[in-house]
């Protein structure tokens, strides 16, 4: 059994920023890294939009630096994940998957969200190589400026990202698996009116094509006619939604209909449970950026500190 003033669950920019602030406030935070140490940024190649890195930094390198900064102030960083929580009492109980029972005066949830992928072996291959598959146009679109890209999806995210890419790329081909968009009319209309976006309806991806290192195209199929064709592209973007990693909290924390944690008080990191705070993508389906996650991690640590001060 372990007692802590502050348990941080998750090790992306939100979790580590919360740890840096909590540790410097002498809360001696305990941080569990979770299933994907470093979070979503570890699947990102180059990060050029995080302020303070004029030459850019790779996602994994940035996460190593954030981890080092949290360790410098004596955060207790542990590998493993939290598998169960009980937020029904003033002291919150959480269990790690190895059976460790943690009693926490405050909890900062920074479990993030996971981008959904198609699950094709070729897609996963070029995701791992960093050779042209991405789930974030705002993060990676810049690398494909002046080139042709493909984007999969028909929701608001796909429309927003296709429009973003259209300003950078010579051509964007949007693959919509049904005969219409799921996105709001205004978002879909904007895409339809953009000259360099071609929309292919009833179209699914068969394979992401490449030379083994980088993407060179996409083999797609019309699911009505079964006709196949190859679309040349160097970037293959997937925008088919995200899954917030919040399932273990659902019995205690208010979630919206898609599983994102709801803030109890706008402008704070408070959840409906006193002493439990949320930061990063677990509560954010709009911005989803490393810098916004870091910002809310800071907010959560400050809110946790103030909560503890109010008790004593
Ligand atoms: P959504 O769940 O709304 O949409 C996912 C899209 O991906 C759907 O069009 C779906 O197709 C498609 N899709 C799912 N699986 C596959 C697959 N295997 N192959 C091909 N296509 C697939 O996710 P979003 O991320 O777009 O949006 C999430 C929420 O965030 C929504 O509530 C949205 O309104 C909101 N949002 C709002 C924004 C804004 O207002 N600025 C910006 C971004 C998001 P199908 O339609 O056929 O099921």
């Amino acid at each position: 059994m372990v007692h802590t003033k502050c348990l941080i669950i998750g090790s992306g920019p939100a979790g580590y920023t919360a740890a840096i602030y909590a540790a410097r406030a002498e809360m001696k935070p305990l941080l569990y890294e979770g299933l994907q140490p470093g979070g979503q940024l570890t699947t990102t190649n180059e990060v050029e939009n995080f302020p303070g890195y004029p030459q850019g930094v790779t996602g994994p390198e940035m996460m190593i630096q954030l981890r080092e900064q949290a360790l410098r102030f004596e955060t207790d960083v542990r590998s493993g994940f939290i598998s169960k929580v009980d937020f029904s009492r003033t002291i919150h109980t959480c269990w790690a998957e190895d059976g460790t029972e943690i009693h926490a005066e405050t909890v900062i949830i920074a479990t993030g969200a996971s981008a959904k992928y198609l699950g094709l072996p070729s897609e996963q291959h070029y995701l791992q190589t960093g050779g042209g598959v991405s789930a974030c146009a705002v993060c990676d679109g810049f690398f494909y400026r002046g080139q042709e890209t493909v984007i999969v999806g028909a929701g608001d995210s796909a429309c927003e990202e296709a429009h973003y890419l259209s300003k950078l790329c010579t051509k964007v081909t949007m693959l919509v698996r049904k005969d219409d968009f799921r996105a709001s009319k205004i978002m879909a209309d904007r895409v339809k009116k953009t000259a360099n976006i071609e929309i292919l309806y009833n179209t699914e991806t068969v394979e992401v094509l490449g030379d083994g290192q980088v993407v060179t195209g996409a083999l797609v199929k019309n699911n009505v006619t079964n006709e196949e064709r190859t679309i040349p592209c160097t970037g293959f973007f997937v925008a088919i939604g995200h899954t917030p990693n919040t399932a273990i909290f659902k019995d205690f924390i208010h979630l919206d209909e898609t599983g994102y944690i709801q803030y109890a008080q706008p402008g704070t990191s408070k959840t409906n449970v006193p002493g439990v705070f949320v930061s990063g993508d677990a509560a954010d389906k709009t911005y989803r950026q490393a810098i916004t996650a870091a910002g809310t991690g800071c907010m959560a640590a400050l809110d946790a500190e103030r909560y503890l001060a109010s008790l004593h």
Side-chain angles (χ1 to χ4, degrees):
M1 207 272 283
V2 181
H3 183 96
T4 180
K5 278 187 182 171
C6 181
L7 171 66
I8 298 167
I9 311 176
S11 60
Y16 279 132
T17 305
I20 293 162
Y21 273 78
R24 293 186 78 254
E26 300 198 323
M27 291 161 74
K28 300 193 187 331
L30 169 62
L31 180 149
Y32 268 81
E33 289 185 313
L35 283 172
Q36 187 182 18
Q40 291 181 77
L41 272 183
T42 54
T43 59
T44 300
N45 216 11
E46 190 81 10
V47 180
E48 290 187 331
N49 55 7
F50 199 96
Y53 292 96
Q55 305 308 325
V57 61
T58 69
E61 178 62 20
M62 187 166 126
M63 295 322 300
I64 288 168
Q65 291 182 2
L66 279 171
R67 188 175 193 274
E68 279 174 9
Q69 198 171 348
L71 287 170
R72 180 180 154 206
F73 300 109
E74 293 177 15
T75 303
D76 182 354
V77 177
R78 299 193 184 184
S79 55
F81 61 95
I82 301 297
S83 55
K84 191 178 153 198
V85 301
D86 179 355
F87 293 159
S88 62
R89 285 181 282 269
T90 313
I91 296 291
H92 306 296
T93 310
C94 303
W95 289 267
E97 99 282 8
D98 65 0
T100 306
E101 183 174 317
I102 302 144
H103 291 185
E105 293 173 44
T106 62
V107 176
I108 295 177
I109 299 171
T111 46
S114 305
K116 293 182 192 163
Y117 288 94
L118 300 174
L120 299 169
S122 53
E123 169 205 54
Q124 292 304 307
H125 173 78
Y126 291 107
L127 178 66
Q128 307 300 323
T129 63
V133 170
S134 168
C136 181
V138 177
C139 316
D140 298 327
F142 189 70
F143 303 115
Y144 304 97
R145 60 196 185 281
Q147 300 169 45
E148 295 187 16
T149 52
V150 163
I151 183 162
V152 184
D156 282 335
S157 294
C159 289
E160 199 165 73
E161 302 215 342
H163 192 253
Y164 182 87
L165 289 172
S166 73
K167 291 190 238 153
L168 299 165
C169 303
T170 49
K171 184 179 175 192
V172 180
T173 305
M174 203 168 177
L175 307 182
V176 175
R177 68 178 172 181
K178 292 188 185 144
D179 62 0
D180 205 359
F181 281 87
R182 183 192 291 197
S184 53
K185 190 175 176 324
I186 187 166
M187 302 280 273
D189 282 350
R190 192 170 66 164
V191 162
K192 289 176 193 172
K193 283 185 199 145
T194 304
N196 64 341
I197 299 179
E198 183 184 6
I199 302 162
L200 301 181
Y201 294 99
N202 299 310
T203 301
E204 295 174 29
T205 310
V206 178
E207 193 182 343
V208 179
L209 306 171
D211 64 5
Q213 280 304 310
V214 296
V215 170
T216 56
L219 178 64
V220 304
K221 184 174 89 170
N222 183 302
N223 56 28
V224 176
T225 63
N226 279 334
E227 186 194 335
E228 290 191 349
R229 62 187 269 198
T230 296
I231 303 166
C233 66
T234 49
F236 183 87
F237 288 85
V238 185
I240 61 173
H242 287 73
T243 309
N245 303 317
T246 56
I248 59 166
F249 309 115
K250 69 178 184 345
D251 292 338
F252 301 95
I253 299 289
H254 294 164
L255 309 178
D256 74 7
E257 67 289 351
T258 49
Y260 286 89
I261 292 176
Q262 292 183 310
Y263 288 112
Q265 203 180 323
T268 74
S269 65
K270 294 177 186 171
T271 70
N272 57 296
V273 177
V276 178
F277 305 90
V278 63
S279 57
D281 288 11
D284 176 13
K285 61 179 161 193
T286 309
Y287 301 105
R288 300 187 187 122
Q289 299 301 299
I291 188 70
T292 49
T296 53
C298 160
M299 289 166 66
L302 293 176
D303 286 342
E305 187 189 353
R306 284 170 195 161
Y307 167 81
L308 286 179
S310 73
L311 298 180
H312 300 300

